[in-house]
Amino acid sequence: DSGVTQTPKHLITATGQRVTLRCSPRSGDLSVYWYQQSLDQGLQFLIQYYNGEERAKGNILERFSAQQFPDLHSELNLSSLELGDSALYFCASSVDSGGSADTQYFGPGTRLTVL
Amino acid sequence: AQTVTQSQPEMSVQEAETVTLSCTYDTSESDYYLFWYKQPPSRQMILVIRQEAYKQQNATENRFSVNFQKAAKSFSLKISDSQLGDAAMYFCAYYGANSKLTFGKGITLSVRP
């Protein structure tokens, strides 16, 4: 158990809908990262938040957005869903002490299926 | 942009034997970090080992060790005394100045009893 929690574990929805994925980082970790894992794209970095502020952005679609709240939990919002958005979405967290790459610890993931 | 290449999609090893998983990367940076993550059938991403580029000494974690060749931009993972529980997908990852992890496509390792 990495200490990172994600809810829900599974999500099935229809095209055009909007969903919210939730992540709670390990205690003491200030950074939260979101990744998408799909068969065709592999594991891709989407976005990073540090202590409530966006820090780095990857291949995140405009239909997707994220935020990190004062209690450091994070939510990833996916809207206007398409079949191709079906994937495993991971959240990871790290201490982010500054000056070096802290190890990222991954949550169990949320499996999104868009029908 | 940095790229990570894992050219072998699958490998197989006999239980108790040693196996080496290959990874190469492309970067113009001198300071970076490299990781191997394991993803078993449960899909959980588990950190196996980490290497700082400024360290010449190869990282080791119990039965797992790396062969880090900075000039060749190579970062292979050696698993000694393979166990059935080592069967999983293994991902090599690069972390650089852009503050994001870039993953290779992964390699599926099977362990024969």
Side-chain angles (χ1 to χ4, degrees):
Chain A
D1 185 359
S2 66
V4 179
T5 60
Q6 289 186 249
T7 55
K9 283 189 178 179
H10 302 278
L11 202 47
I12 302 175
T13 189
T15 54
Q17 295 298 304
R18 172 189 169 94
V19 297
T20 297
L21 312 183
R22 183 188 168 103
C23 167
S24 292
R26 295 186 318 156
S27 177
D29 285 0
L30 298 178
S31 270
V32 169
Y33 310 78
W34 286 97
Y35 293 86
Q36 179 194 58
Q37 185 178 28
S38 61
L39 279 175
D40 53 344
Q41 298 290 329
L43 256 168
Q44 289 200 97
F45 167 74
L46 295 178
I47 197 164
Q48 177 200 359
Y49 275 80
Y50 172 77
N51 205 20
E53 300 289 327
E54 181 184 306
R55 173 170 278 189
K57 218 167 185 175
N59 300 322
I60 188 166
L61 299 172
E62 285 192 10
R63 300 183 285 109
F64 297 0
S65 65
Q67 54 185 326
Q68 186 179 28
F69 295 86
D71 67 352
L72 301 177
H73 91 270
S74 178
E75 293 181 355
L76 179 67
N77 300 296
L78 315 176
S79 61
S80 302
L81 285 167
E82 303 175 358
L83 295 178
D85 298 328
S86 295
L88 188 54
Y89 290 85
F90 285 108
C91 167
S93 73
S94 71
V95 172
D96 206 338
S97 53
S100 68
D102 292 300
T103 296
Q104 296 180 27
Y105 293 91
F106 283 72
T110 293
R111 168 74 67 186
L112 173 67
T113 303
V114 182
L115 301 175
Chain B
Q2 292 78 28
T3 58
V4 178
T5 302
Q6 295 179 253
S7 56
Q8 309 152 305
E10 296 178 355
M11 284 196 77
S12 180
V13 64
Q14 190 74 36
E15 194 176 6
E17 297 294 307
T18 295
V19 64
T20 298
L21 311 183
S22 301
C23 173
T24 59
Y25 57 94
D26 187 28
T27 184
S28 58
E29 298 174 340
S30 59
D31 191 19
Y32 50 87
Y33 302 81
L34 296 163
F35 300 84
W36 278 97
Y37 279 89
K38 169 185 177 180
Q39 187 176 41
S42 67
R43 295 299 191 181
Q44 174 80 49
M45 292 289 287
I46 302 166
L47 175 71
V48 176
I49 203 164
R50 159 195 171 118
Q51 174 79 44
E52 289 85 352
Y54 63 85
K55 289 186 178 178
Q56 292 188 337
Q57 187 173 5
N58 289 323
T60 62
E61 285 289 340
N62 301 313
R63 297 183 296 106
F64 298 87
S65 62
V66 299
N67 183 5
F68 173 49
Q69 302 287 330
K70 191 172 184 179
K73 296 179 184 174
S74 169
F75 183 60
S76 60
L77 175 70
K78 186 171 84 170
I79 306 174
S80 304
D81 185 26
S82 297
Q83 300 175 1
L84 295 178
D86 295 333
M89 196 148 191
Y90 287 81
F91 291 92
C92 177
Y94 174 101
Y95 183 97
N98 62 5
S99 300
K100 67 174 189 176
L101 270 176
T102 300
F103 287 90
K105 290 191 179 300
I107 177 171
T108 300
L109 177 68
S110 58
V111 182
R112 305 186 302 274

